[in-house]
């Protein structure tokens, strides 16, 4: 679009349709427009980068939090397994003791 406008301005200048003052005003307006567009593009690019950075940080935080919870669940599972083994061992010993006591009691009868 900007190239077309420049081309039209050049063409008009060649045919002397516009006087020099009008041409300078139009050229100045085009430069202002281009400057504003450039500022807007830069601002948009900056915002895009900020959003990407924030998104990456949020993603990292969420993954870290999830990993922490998974690690906690794994530790709890291992602890439960350990307690279960200890309970089974104690239960087996109690059964042996009860059998031994019952055997001794029967021998006294």
């Amino acid at each position: 679009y900007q190239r077309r406008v420049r081309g039209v301005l050049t063409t008009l200048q060649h045919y002397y349709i516009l006087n020099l003052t009008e041409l300078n005003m139009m050229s100045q307006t085009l430069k202002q427009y281009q400057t504003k567009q450039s500022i807007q593009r830069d601002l948009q690019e900056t915002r895009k980068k900020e959003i990407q950075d924030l998104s990456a940080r949020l993603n990292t935080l969420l993954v870290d939090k999830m990993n922490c919870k998974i690690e906690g669940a794994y530790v709890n599972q291992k602890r439960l397994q350990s307690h279960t083994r200890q309970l089974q061992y104690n239960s087996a010993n109690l059964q042996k003791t009860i059998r031994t006591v019952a055997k001794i009691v029967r021998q006294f009868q």
Side-chain angles (χ1 to χ4, degrees), residues 35-89:
T35 303
K36 286 181 184 178
Q37 289 292 39
S38 176
I39 291 170
Q40 286 296 332
R41 276 193 300 273
D42 292 344
L43 184 60
Q44 188 173 11
E45 190 64 32
T46 302
R47 287 178 181 161
K48 181 180 174 183
K49 287 179 182 177
E50 287 175 0
I51 294 289
Q52 288 173 341
D53 290 344
L54 288 173
S55 176
R57 277 197 276 159
L58 176 63
N59 188 33
T60 301
L61 288 174
L62 289 174
V63 168
D64 289 347
K65 184 70 172 177
M66 202 60 163
N67 285 339
C68 184
K69 291 198 177 249
I70 289 171
E71 180 183 359
Y74 179 76
V75 168
N76 288 340
Q77 180 185 5
K78 289 299 178 185
R79 190 179 305 144
L80 283 173
Q81 288 173 347
S82 173
H83 287 300
T84 301
R85 282 192 296 273
Q86 186 66 40
L87 183 61
Q88 288 171 344
Y89 176 76

Side-chain angles (χ1 to χ4, degrees), residues 10-43:
T10 304
T11 304
L12 292 175
Q13 184 181 15
H14 287 297
Y15 290 106
Y16 302 105
I17 294 176
L18 298 175
N19 63 33
L20 190 58
T21 305
E22 290 173 336
L23 188 60
N24 284 336
M25 285 176 46
M26 290 181 78
S27 178
Q28 191 68 17
T29 303
L30 177 62
K31 286 179 185 177
Q32 288 173 352
Y33 171 77
Q34 289 172 338
T35 303
K36 286 181 184 178
Q37 289 292 39
S38 176
I39 291 170
Q40 286 296 332
R41 276 193 300 273
D42 292 344
L43 184 60

Side-chain angles (χ1 to χ4, degrees), residues 84-100:
T84 301
R85 282 192 296 273
Q86 186 66 40
L87 183 61
Q88 288 171 344
Y89 176 76
N90 290 342
S91 177
N93 282 341
L94 181 61
Q95 286 177 356
K96 287 178 187 177
T97 305
I98 289 173
R99 284 188 203 123
T100 304

